Amino acid sequence: MHDHSTHAQGHGHSQGHGGGHHDHTAGADVRSLRWALALTAFYLLAEVAGAFWFNSLALLSDAAHMMTDVAALAIALAAISIGARPADDRRTFGYKRFEILAAAFNALLLFAVAIYVLVEAVQRFRTPQPIESTGMLAIAVLGLVVNIASMRLLSAGREGSLNMKGAYLEVWADAVGSVGVIAGALAIRYTGRAWIDPVVAIGIGLWVVPRTWVLLRDTVNVLLEGVPGGMNLPDIRAGIGGIAGVGGVHDLHVWSVSSDAVNCTVHVELAGGADADGVRHAVAAWLAARHGIGHSTIQTETAAQACGHRDHLHP
């Protein structure tokens, strides 16, 4: 029979995070996210209304970016609340993947808005329309204030949580968009050139779309259970192979359930005389320390046992 092991240290680490300190931090994160979400959602509605009222495509383009902020904040908030639900007999990995599904939907929606803004911008070049630069400027300044306030709310938790860090970076990026709209409004006000508005709109779109593509690419990789970004499977295989007592490595899988929950399964051939328990613990400890993999399942076997199965297993 083959020996099996699940990384006990990884489970202990997860349980440790579920303790009182983590609950306190999570509670503070939830409060900050709720306030930031309320501010950002309020401004999103104001910006969309202002875009149509003042006939500004730049405001509409920035509103599309602001929509990603609202979605990112909502995803981060949902990931904390829904993702904290325990695993059950139907969902053995819990609800962490909800974050990934919501992020993928967010990316697809933003692509649709970006295409609309681009088509509308081409039409504006052909048929310029008057712009209410004063109202456009006022809305953009309000947006910058909201972004700065949201950044202050989120800054405390961004170092300890990937969700909070992602939300903080979204708001920071939108602050850059608000600065672009302010510059465009001032340029229109003092030059009277309406074509500046679609130029700013396209510029914001070019700023947002590449980041949206990265978001969609990363979410699809998680849904396909690909190797997480920043990890190299040959390097991991070589690292495990270099641990004392390991005679061979095969059937190695590394994937993530969510943006911060990485899993690994691997078959390890024991070198002659090696202790199975010692090797399993050494491999699990190396995966956790070197790659942050807190949940690993390691199957140990002798070379004789492995030979009959190696052809049927992943390399």
Side-chain angles (χ1 to χ4, degrees):
M1 295 292 291
H2 300 320
D3 293 320
H4 300 265
S5 171
T6 299
H7 185 189
Q9 182 180 351
H11 287 296
H13 181 70
S14 298
Q15 291 167 351
H17 269 310
H21 176 72
H22 177 71
D23 290 341
H24 175 75
T25 303
D29 288 349
V30 167
R31 287 191 295 272
S32 297
L33 283 167
R34 283 176 177 168
W35 276 106
L37 178 60
L39 285 172
T40 308
F42 166 76
Y43 176 67
L44 172 62
L45 296 176
E47 192 169 35
V48 170
F52 289 101
W53 186 265
F54 302 118
N55 200 29
S56 171
L57 191 61
L59 278 179
L60 185 61
S61 181
D62 190 56
H65 190 192
M66 183 64 77
M67 182 176 65
T68 68
D69 290 353
V70 171
L73 291 168
I75 288 169
L77 189 59
I80 291 176
S81 56
I82 297 178
R85 295 179 182 177
D88 53 40
D89 290 340
R90 287 177 57 84
R91 296 172 178 84
T92 57
F93 280 106
Y95 294 80
K96 293 181 179 294
R97 188 154 286 185
F98 174 85
E99 171 196 359
I100 304 302
L101 294 172
F105 175 78
N106 176 28
L108 292 173
L109 185 61
L110 183 59
F111 273 125
V113 175
I115 291 172
Y116 169 79
V117 170
L118 179 60
V119 172
E120 186 66 18
V122 172
Q123 295 298 325
R124 293 279 182 105
F125 280 122
R126 293 175 178 173
T127 309
Q129 299 183 20
I131 307 295
E132 277 286 344
S133 60
T134 301
M136 175 182 171
L137 179 61
I139 294 292
V141 170
L142 175 62
L144 184 59
V145 172
V146 167
N147 285 321
I148 292 174
S150 296
M151 288 169 65
R152 290 290 300 273
L153 286 169
L154 300 173
S155 61
R158 73 181 191 273
E159 296 301 330
S161 167
L162 289 177
N163 281 322
M164 292 291 287
K165 184 176 182 180
Y168 178 87
L169 291 175
E170 283 287 340
V171 175
W172 176 85
D174 196 69
V176 175
S178 295
V179 171
V181 177
I182 291 172
L186 290 172
I188 294 171
R189 180 179 177 85
Y190 291 107
T191 66
R193 296 175 179 174
W195 57 262
I196 294 175
D197 181 64
V199 168
V200 173
I202 292 174
I204 293 174
L206 293 176
W207 163 258
V208 175
V209 168
R211 296 170 57 249
T212 305
W213 169 252
V214 171
L215 174 63
L216 182 61
R217 182 196 65 192
D218 291 345
T219 55
V220 169
N221 186 61
V222 172
L223 293 174
L224 292 177
E225 297 187 346
V227 178
M231 293 188 179
N232 184 279
L233 207 62
D235 289 345
I236 295 176
R237 185 181 293 109
I240 295 174
I243 295 174
V246 174
V249 179
H250 56 275
D251 203 18
L252 172 63
H253 298 272
V254 179
W255 76 99
S256 58
V257 176
S258 65
S259 60
D260 57 354
V262 182
N263 298 269
C264 173
T265 62
V266 61
H267 288 204
V268 173
E269 296 176 29
L270 298 173
D275 175 64
D277 287 337
V279 169
R280 285 197 300 269
H281 285 297
V283 172
W286 183 84
L287 289 170
R290 183 66 179 271
H291 297 283
I293 299 175
H295 187 285
S296 55
T297 302
I298 299 137
Q299 174 174 305
T300 54
E301 53 199 24
T302 65
Q305 291 171 325
C307 289
H309 300 276
R310 188 179 294 157
D311 294 338
H312 303 287
L313 299 173
H314 299 284

